[in-house]
Amino acid sequence: MPALPAGITLGPASATRGRSIVAARVFSPGDAIATFTGPSVAIPDSPHLAQTCSYCLAVAPDAEAGNGTRVDVCTGCRTVCYCSKACQKADWALAHGRGECKAFRRVRSHLQEAQSGGAMVLPTPVRALVQMLLRPEMQAAAAEMEGHVELIRAGDPATWSDMELQARAALRYMGREASPDTVGEAVVVLCKLQVNSFNRLDVDSDESGIYINPALAMVNHSCVPNAFVQFVGRNAVLHAYQEIKESEEIEISYIESTLLHRSQRQHALRTRYHFDCVCPRCKDDLDVYQVCQMYPHLELNTFSLVPDLHKTREHPAKYPLHSNKPLQQNIEEVYPSCSTSLQGLHLAEKYRTLQQRWKACAQLRKAELYAIEPLTQVLVEANIYFSERGNFQYSLAISCFLALNCHPYQKPMPFSGPRMKGMLMVAKLLAAVPPSPASSASSGDLSTRISQAMDGMDQATMCQIVLAMVVHYGQAAHSKEWQVYRQARELLDDVESLPGRETENALINAFIRNPNGSEERRFFKTAVLDPIQTLSDFALEIMDTEFNI
C-alpha cells in the first residue's frame, strides 16, 4: 500500500467503494489536511509545454501581463522546458535522463522526417505513460491502484483500440519492443492513469497538466464533498471544506459537480471512473440550493459579500427545482448547447451564441434559479464578453450579480476558489471603471444610469474591502503561492497606500478586526454591500437589453 502523508489514515473498505481515507484528527474548514509529494507524476499538458517548467510546473510570463517565470527549452529534445538549472537537474534525475529525453528526440526526428505539420510532441496521456514506464518507483506505487481494465476492455471498442495505439507509441519512442505482452502491460497502466489521475487545468492561472499520486487516488468521491484538492507546484494539498472529525471519511469530488445535473454527473462518473454515485445529492436529486443548505458553517459567510445567512439557509427561488419536473426536463434539453466555453470565438460569434443561450435559459430565468446551470455559465460568459469588448461597467454589474446570486449557492464556503476568483474580478473592475459619470451613444440610457448610480460610491473602499476578503481566505482556498492571492495582495497594497484615506482605512481596519460589531456592520453595509447590490440590480436589464429579450 502507498505510504500515506501525515493527517490521514486508511479507513475501512467497502464492497462498492473499495478502500477509504479517514482523518487522523479533527480539521476545521479551510485547514490543510495533508500534502501529497512523491512518488507522483506531475506534468504539463502538451499544449502548455512551451510555457511551463516541466519540473516545478511554474508558468512562463504572459506576454501582456508580464507575470510568471521565464522558461528555457531542453537543448536535447527541444520539447520540455525548465525555469532553472536546479529544476532541469531534478527532472533529469527523475525521468528525463532515464529515457524521456531520448524518447522525445525520437518523436521530433520521426515527425520531421514525415514532414508532419502538427505539433512535434506526444499527447499528454502518452507522455504520462512514458514517465510511469520509466520510473520503477511509480510502477511499484501504482501496483495496487484500481484500473477497471476489464470494464474498459468490454466498453467502447474504439476507446480500447486508441489505448493500444497510445501504448505502442510510448513503447516505440522509448525504444522498447511492442509485443502483445508489453502492449498489454502498458494499456493496464493507461487504464490506471485514466481512472486515478487529476486534471491540474486552471484556465484563470494558466496552470495545466496531469497529476497522479497513488495515495491521493484512494480518497473517495462525493458530489457533496467535505474536502477539496489544490495543486501547488508538484504537490497536491488536501483541504477541509467543512469540519472533519477524527476517523471521519474524507471525500472529494472527482468532477466539477456544481456545473452538472444528476444525469450528467452520473454519466461522467460512470464513463471515466466506472461507478454509480449514491451520495445524498445523487440519491435525492438535490439542486445546488438544497446542497447549500446541507453544509454546516454557513456562519463563516458573515465575513463575505453574502453575510445575510437567511439567504443561504433558505431557498430563495420562487419555484424550487426539485418540485418542477417540466423545468428539470427543460434543463436537460438546453444544458448541452449552453454549457461549453466560448473561449477562442470572435466577439461577433460570441454575441450571437450568447443571444441564443440567454433565450434558451428563459425558464430558469423566470424561476429565478440563477445558480442552476447552465444559467450561471451563460452569465459568466457574458461577463467575459463585456470585458473583452471593453465595457467594464456592464462586466462589473454582472460580476456583482454572480457574487451575490450564483457563487454563494454553488460554493457555500466563503473560501471557495471560484468565489475568490469572482471577488477578485469585482475588485479589478471597481479599479478599472472610471469613478466619474460617463455616457456614450452606443450604450445609451442604461449606461448613463449605471454611471449616475456609481457617482456616489466610494470605489476605493469597496475595492479595498473585497481585496481584504480575498487575502483573508486565500490560504484556505489554495495557498500563498496562488496567483489569485498574490494579485489580491499586490492590489490591496496599492489601494492601502493611496494618500488622503486615513479615515477610510481606520473604518476598514475596524471592520476587518470586528466584522460582527454593530457599527462595523453598518459601515460595511453602507460602503460595500448596498453599492454592490445596486450594481447587481442592473445585471438582468443589461442581459435583456444587450441580447434582445
Side-chain angles (χ1 to χ4, degrees), residues 289-290 292-294 298 308-317 320 409:
Y289 295 102
Q290 294 167 304
C292 176
Q293 294 167 26
M294 291 176 58
L298 291 179
D308 182 1
L309 301 185
H310 178 76
K311 287 189 67 174
T312 48
R313 285 174 173 161
E314 300 294 332
H315 203 296
Y409 302 103

Side-chain angles (χ1 to χ4, degrees), residues 279-319:
C279 74
R281 185 180 180 193
C282 288
K283 180 176 176 292
D284 297 324
D285 196 13
L286 303 178
D287 62 43
V288 293
Y289 295 102
Q290 294 167 304
V291 172
C292 176
Q293 294 167 26
M294 291 176 58
Y295 273 105
H297 319 302
L298 291 179
E299 67 277 0
L300 292 177
N301 283 285
T302 54
F303 189 62
S304 78
L305 295 182
V306 192
D308 182 1
L309 301 185
H310 178 76
K311 287 189 67 174
T312 48
R313 285 174 173 161
E314 300 294 332
H315 203 296
K318 293 179 180 178
Y319 312 104

